[in-house]
């Protein structure tokens, strides 16, 4: 987990290891894999993960808003054909929701009871940047046991007994008690204590460079503050409400004291503050 100075939260997972292989006649690999070494085939495969996120954005009463970018039809309101906007749709009933690359879809988790300085709800957004399409038949034995993989996001009300997307016992799982059944209860997710289940993964058409040991591949997701702050929290010199009792300290007395205090304070404060702040920003970004 990375916690950045701008309020962004990032989860990073790193994958490496030894790929699953089968043999073949050199130069004659099956179509379901890639020949990674003469006579050795690495099978095309996928990895899918689910992060259970107990959301609490500015409190426990949250709502999910689905955000889709829509192009305004060219016409009187869009004479140059380059105008588009974000259509926001509050989700009121639990369920599974799919990514949509055509609309750059993302989801906001907002607290409608808390407002920022422009009057909109405080929130954090989740973008499904590492969601992948599942190619397994949903009616196959594997597909039935991992039904949650077919959606990018599931949202349910908090229930301490609902902890794992594939149920409590993965190896004995028969698709009767898992995330798909949790989300089929029809419970409200409006102004509620919510759990977000984000599905992400890797699509891995293997290559010779993955053999004999695969290099590290990174994946994960990010949560971005969206109206959670009133301004960029990284800007340390942003004006804030001052305490009326605060006052500049003076050094010495008389004209010389005021002059020296101003010159030294300004020079040292600006030089050290700016330099250290800039360095800190770089470290945070890295």
């Amino acid at each position: 987990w990375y916690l950045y100075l701008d309020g962004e939260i990032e989860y990073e997972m790193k994958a490496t290891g030894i790929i699953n292989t089968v043999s073949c006649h050199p130069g004659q690999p099956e179509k379901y894999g890639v020949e990674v070494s003469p006579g050795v085939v690495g099978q095309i495969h996928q990895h899918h993960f689910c992060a259970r996120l107990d959301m609490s954005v500015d409190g426990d009463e949250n709502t999910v808003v689905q955000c889709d970018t829509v192009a305004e039809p060219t016409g009187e309101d869009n004479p140059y054909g380059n105008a588009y906007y974000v259509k926001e749709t509050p989700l009121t009933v639990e369920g599974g929701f799919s990514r949509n690359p055509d609309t750059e879809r993302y989801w906001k988790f907002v607290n409608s009871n808390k407002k920022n300085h422009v009057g909109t709800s405080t929130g954090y957004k989740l973008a499904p940047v590492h969601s992948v399409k599942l190619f397994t038949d949903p009616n196959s034995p594997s597909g039935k046991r991992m039904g949650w993989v077919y959606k990018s996001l599931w949202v349910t009300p908090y229930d301490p007994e609902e902890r794992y997307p594939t149920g409590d016992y993965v190896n004995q799982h028969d698709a009767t008690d898992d995330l798909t059944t949790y989300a089929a209860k029809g419970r409200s997710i409006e102004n509620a204590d919510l759990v977000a289940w984000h599905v992400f993964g890797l699509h891995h058409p293997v290559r010779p460079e993955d053999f004999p040991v695969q290099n590290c591949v990174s994946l994960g997701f990010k949560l971005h503050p969206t109206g959670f702050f009133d301004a960029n929290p990284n800007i340390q010199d942003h004006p804030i409400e001052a305490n009326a009792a605060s006052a500049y300290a003076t050094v010495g007395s008389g004209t010389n004291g005021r002059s020296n205090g101003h010159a030294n304070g300004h020079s040292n404060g600006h030089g050290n503050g700016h330099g250290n702040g800039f360095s800190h920003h770089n470290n945070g970004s890295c």
Side-chain angles (χ1 to χ4, degrees):
W1 289 97
Y2 301 96
L3 307 177
Y4 294 103
L5 298 179
D6 62 354
E8 179 184 295
I9 302 171
E10 179 182 8
Y11 176 73
E12 181 185 38
M13 177 184 291
K14 296 179 179 179
T16 184
I18 299 174
I19 60 174
N20 190 52
T21 58
V22 295
S23 61
C24 73
H25 293 291
Q28 300 178 35
E30 61 179 9
K31 66 180 180 179
Y32 306 110
V34 174
E35 191 170 18
V36 295
S37 189
V40 180
V41 172
Q43 296 172 321
I44 301 170
H45 61 282
Q46 295 182 315
H47 301 271
H48 299 276
F49 307 94
C50 183
R52 179 184 182 273
L53 305 172
D54 187 353
M55 304 301 293
S56 183
V57 179
D58 231 358
D60 288 334
E61 295 183 347
N62 291 171
T63 298
V64 189
V65 180
Q66 185 166 278
C67 302
D68 295 284
T69 300
V70 179
E72 186 74 34
T74 302
E76 182 178 352
D77 293 334
N78 186 18
Y80 299 105
N82 62 351
Y84 42 88
Y85 62 96
V86 176
K87 179 182 178 182
E88 297 191 351
T89 305
L91 305 177
T92 58
V93 179
E94 65 181 332
F97 309 95
S98 299
R99 65 175 182 151
N100 187 349
D102 292 336
T103 64
E104 295 293 339
R105 175 172 291 169
Y106 63 90
W107 294 277
K108 288 196 304 183
F109 296 83
V110 303
N111 189 326
S112 58
N113 303 307
K114 303 290 181 64
K115 305 296 181 181
N116 53 37
H117 72 156
V118 294
T120 57
S121 300
T122 58
Y124 262 75
K125 82 171 185 178
L126 168 69
V129 293
H130 281 121
S131 291
V132 297
K133 175 181 171 59
L134 182 64
F135 290 92
T136 302
D137 186 342
N139 294 314
S140 68
S142 296
K144 290 179 180 179
R145 294 182 64 187
M146 57 179 184
W148 52 270
V149 179
Y150 293 92
K151 300 292 184 180
S152 303
L153 176 70
W154 299 81
V155 183
T156 61
Y158 174 78
D159 185 329
E161 299 300 319
E162 298 174 355
R163 300 180 60 194
Y164 307 109
T166 317
D168 289 339
Y169 305 102
V170 176
N171 292 336
Q172 290 82 32
H173 179 55
D174 60 359
T176 59
D177 183 26
D178 62 6
L179 179 52
T180 62
T181 57
Y182 302 161
K185 298 177 182 179
R187 295 168 293 185
S188 172
I189 55 172
E190 190 172 16
N191 287 325
D193 188 0
L194 301 181
V195 174
W197 311 72
H198 177 44
V199 181
F200 61 102
L202 287 172
H203 180 70
H204 193 181
V206 295
R207 54 195 178 124
E209 290 84 353
D210 294 329
F211 187 79
V213 179
Q214 174 189 309
N215 290 311
C216 181
V217 179
S218 296
L219 68 155
F221 58 88
K222 295 181 179 180
L223 295 166
H224 298 274
T226 305
F228 189 84
F229 299 101
D230 287 342
N232 185 348
N234 255 340
I235 301 177
Q236 299 179 8
D237 293 334
H238 185 77
I240 59 175
E241 184 178 348
N243 186 327
S246 298
Y248 286 106
T250 59
V251 179
S253 60
T255 304
N256 291 336
R258 288 193 299 271
S259 175
N260 291 339
H262 174 77
N264 292 338
H266 178 77
S267 176
N268 293 339
H270 176 76
N272 293 338
H274 180 75
N276 291 340
F278 185 78
S279 175
H280 195 189
H281 174 75
N282 280 346
N283 291 340
S285 296
C286 293

